Amino acid sequence: MKPSVVTIEPNGHFCSDCGVRGSAVCSSLEPAELREFEHLGRRVHFSSGETVFSEEDITTSFYNVLDGVMRLYKLLPDGRRQIVGFALPGDFLGMNLSGRHNFSADAIGAVTVCQFAKAPFGRFIEDRPQLLRRINELAIRELSQARDHMVLLGRRSADEKVAAFLLGWRERQLAHKGPSDTVPLPMSRQDIADYLGLTIETVSRTFTKLERHGAIEIIHGGISLLDPARVEALAAA
Amino acid sequence: MKPSVVTIEPNGHFCSDCGVRGSAVCSSLEPAELREFEHLGRRVHFSSGETVFSEEDITTSFYNVLDGVMRLYKLLPDGRRQIVGFALPGDFLGMNLSGRHNFSADAIGAVTVCQFAKAPFGRFIEDRPQLLRRINELAIRELSQARDHMVLLGRRSADEKVAAFLLGWRERQLAHKGPSDTVPLPMSRQDIADYLGLTIETVSRTFTKLERHGAIEIIHGGISLLDPARVEALAAA
DNA sequence: AAACGCGATTGACCCAGATCAATTTTGGCC
DNA sequence: GGCCAAAATTGATCTGGGTCAATCGCGTTT
């Protein structure tokens, strides 16, 4: 939201010991290519609430999330907001056809990204089809997630939305940390509401209701799934 | 919905005079490649209401829509349906990571597709990065549309949804037929409702309301935009 | 430790859109 | 044309979730 004051890592870094080496776009590259790739990206830090890029901005860079969580959202002229997704480490951002980002991205808590200037990155891809294939895979995965989310937004009740959100978020955490019934929620209630197409009051009331029924416990910075089976039944997959 | 009885074109065809030659995946191929490509696809016809593929099906083919309109949708176990998009000529269907289609596709009216068996198509792509790049472009375009649709589903009122739908549909027609204030609507009111996350009654009432206000006229098989500016104001882009 | 600020929760009430229930219109089909 | 079934429209009523308005909890500042 506030003007972005970024911190650029002064010293070099090595892709080979990058935390997302195995899951991000770069997982498609050979060690030799990786060394060349290393020179294209620079690590950039954003602190909580900073905007990494805005919807209407002309795309000058692509981003590979290394650490932290970002909210990806679109605004209507009157200020209504829809969060179209959350980006986690390994996610690749910035692909578009129009030449402009078609959503905005803010850091939720501290975030580190690997930033690539558009032109050199485009040239690098040019003769590396396996990198293109990897980007394509990520796009197809996101498309599938987007369609699932359309079902949630268009056809699910508030209870189902919240339950599905908790399970979905746990599922995504699973890849990074291990499996757990404790779901950390770094985003605000307002973020959750804007992701689920609800109001903050409804999200809050639904959490409280789930807690009263013994399905979850609201803990500091997250939710504990006391009765995962109950929550799964509510999400009605 | 009913069991699919497809009609396969018995005689050969030529990509070079295909209606979607310029806009589909194949637009990325050279004339020489096109001749080879020709042998991979076969034209298949579906009649109104037939299912081209289902959500849970294992993907054995990719499809290039040549003619007609398809509804792409997901069902919840209890029968609630969300239409995640409509496919028009030039659209490419079947890409996924899971090995299964993650939505179903029905013909709305008569449909012709160019069907490719998965394996040979995959092999053909292998050493043709420009085809892969084209597929990637189409995926990115769809992703952008999907995000726009999430905003509509999550944050817009019924009036806004219907108005935005009419304008969006006119926009898509524009590419195929010329510009026009007459918007043909081949899909049913139920389809529109399931696309917009509304009920059929609300869609019908909203059309009637727009007509009473002089913004549109409900005509046979579609809508005429009497006052496009009014409809645009309602859609509140 | 009092005062502040901000996110989260809770309560009271309201309304857009869903649901339920008839019609009416349309489109084959003999 | 007349008959039937499906789609669309319209009306009456209901309700899930929104809106408005306190209040609470808690970390931060002074």
Side-chain angles (χ1 to χ4, degrees):
Chain A
M1 289 294 179
K2 43 175 186 169
S4 175
V5 180
V6 303
T7 311
I8 298 176
E9 197 100 311
N11 54 321
H13 67 274
F14 298 101
C15 285
S16 46
D17 44 68
C18 175
V20 301
R21 170 79 180 94
S23 59
V25 274
C26 30
S27 70
S28 61
L29 297 172
E30 305 291 328
E33 292 176 313
L34 202 61
R35 212 139 28 238
E36 195 183 334
F37 191 62
E38 219 156 54
H39 300 300
L40 291 177
R42 51 170 35 179
R43 291 191 188 198
V44 185
H45 299 284
F46 292 88
S47 47
S48 193
E50 284 188 304
T51 297
V52 177
F53 56 81
S54 281
E55 199 162 343
E56 64 281 1
D57 288 352
I58 291 183
T59 306
T60 57
S61 295
F62 301 126
Y63 304 87
N64 197 3
V65 183
L66 301 188
D67 193 50
V69 182
M70 298 171 64
R71 57 173 164 260
L72 314 180
Y73 60 96
K74 294 175 73 95
L75 293 172
L76 291 176
D78 64 3
R80 281 175 290 177
R81 183 177 72 158
Q82 177 66 45
I83 291 186
V84 297
F86 294 100
L88 291 183
D91 287 341
F92 185 70
L93 302 172
M95 295 300 293
N96 64 75
L97 292 184
S98 63
R100 291 175 190 275
H101 293 288
N102 47 26
F103 54 86
S104 305
D106 294 345
I108 295 177
V111 162
T112 308
V113 301
C114 188
Q115 178 170 14
F116 304 95
K118 184 178 169 165
F121 187 84
R123 260 179 270 118
F124 186 81
I125 285 186
E126 207 69 39
D127 45 339
R128 279 168 187 87
Q130 76 290 13
L131 178 55
L132 181 57
R133 210 168 298 125
R134 181 69 189 136
I135 289 174
N136 198 225
E137 277 174 16
L138 295 177
I140 288 167
R141 180 152 57 92
E142 278 195 64
L143 201 41
S144 171
Q145 284 169 2
R147 285 174 181 134
D148 287 343
H149 203 58
M150 285 188 219
V151 179
L152 179 143
L153 290 172
R155 287 294 180 232
R156 284 182 179 284
S157 70
D159 288 1
E160 292 170 342
K161 285 177 175 182
V162 170
F165 168 70
L166 289 176
L167 295 172
W169 193 252
R170 177 174 69 157
E171 183 70 16
R172 292 193 71 184
Q173 290 303 118
L174 193 147
H176 299 280
K177 347 261 178 196
S180 164
D181 284 347
T182 302
V183 186
L185 297 178
M187 73 291 286
S188 69
R189 293 289 189 268
Q190 186 63 64
D191 288 342
I192 297 172
D194 286 347
Y195 182 59
L196 299 178
L198 298 171
T199 60
I200 185 173
E201 293 94 333
T202 298
V203 171
S204 186
R205 275 189 256 271
T206 306
F207 277 153
T208 305
K209 184 164 68 171
L210 288 175
E211 189 172 46
R212 266 203 311 272
H213 292 9
I216 67 170
E217 191 189 355
I218 302 170
I219 56 177
H220 182 78
I223 293 288
S224 180
L225 297 177
L226 299 182
D227 187 350
R230 178 91 76 95
V231 178
E232 270 154 36
L234 266 174
Chain B
M1 290 294 181
K2 43 176 186 167
S4 174
V5 180
V6 302
T7 311
I8 299 176
E9 198 99 313
N11 54 322
H13 66 274
F14 298 101
C15 285
S16 47
D17 44 70
C18 175
V20 300
R21 170 78 181 95
S23 58
V25 272
C26 31
S27 70
S28 61
L29 298 171
E30 304 292 327
E33 292 175 311
L34 202 62
R35 214 140 25 237
E36 196 184 333
F37 191 62
E38 218 155 55
H39 301 300
L40 290 178
R42 51 169 35 179
R43 292 192 187 196
V44 184
H45 300 285
F46 293 88
S47 47
S48 193
E50 283 187 306
T51 298
V52 177
F53 56 81
S54 281
E55 200 163 341
E56 65 282 359
D57 288 352
I58 290 182
T59 307
T60 57
S61 296
F62 300 126
Y63 304 88
N64 197 3
V65 183
L66 301 186
D67 194 50
V69 182
M70 297 170 65
R71 59 173 164 259
L72 315 179
Y73 61 97
K74 292 174 76 91
L75 293 173
L76 291 176
D78 64 2
R80 282 174 289 177
R81 184 177 70 160
Q82 177 66 45
I83 291 184
V84 296
F86 294 101
L88 292 183
D91 286 341
F92 184 71
L93 302 173
M95 294 300 292
N96 64 75
L97 292 185
S98 62
R100 292 175 189 275
H101 293 288
N102 47 27
F103 54 86
S104 306
D106 295 344
I108 295 176
V111 162
T112 307
V113 300
C114 190
Q115 179 171 13
F116 304 95
K118 184 178 168 167
F121 188 85
R123 261 178 270 117
F124 186 81
I125 284 185
E126 207 68 39
D127 45 338
R128 281 170 186 86
Q130 78 288 14
L131 178 56
L132 182 57
R133 208 168 297 124
R134 180 70 188 136
I135 289 174
N136 198 226
E137 275 174 18
L138 295 177
I140 287 166
R141 179 152 57 91
E142 279 195 63
L143 203 40
S144 171
Q145 285 170 0
R147 285 175 181 133
D148 287 343
H149 203 57
M150 285 187 219
V151 179
L152 179 142
L153 289 171
R155 287 295 179 230
R156 286 181 178 287
S157 71
D159 288 1
E160 291 170 343
K161 284 176 176 183
V162 170
F165 168 70
L166 290 175
L167 295 172
W169 194 253
R170 178 174 69 157
E171 183 70 16
R172 292 193 69 183
Q173 290 302 119
L174 194 146
H176 299 279
K177 349 262 178 195
S180 165
D181 284 347
T182 301
V183 186
L185 297 177
M187 72 292 286
S188 70
R189 294 288 191 268
Q190 186 62 63
D191 288 342
I192 297 173
D194 287 347
Y195 182 57
L196 300 178
L198 298 172
T199 60
I200 184 173
E201 292 95 332
T202 299
V203 171
S204 186
R205 276 188 254 271
T206 306
F207 277 153
T208 306
K209 184 165 68 172
L210 288 176
E211 189 173 45
R212 266 203 312 271
H213 292 9
I216 67 170
E217 191 188 356
I218 302 170
I219 58 176
H220 182 80
I223 293 290
S224 180
L225 297 177
L226 299 181
D227 187 350
R230 178 90 78 95
V231 179
E232 271 154 35
L234 266 174

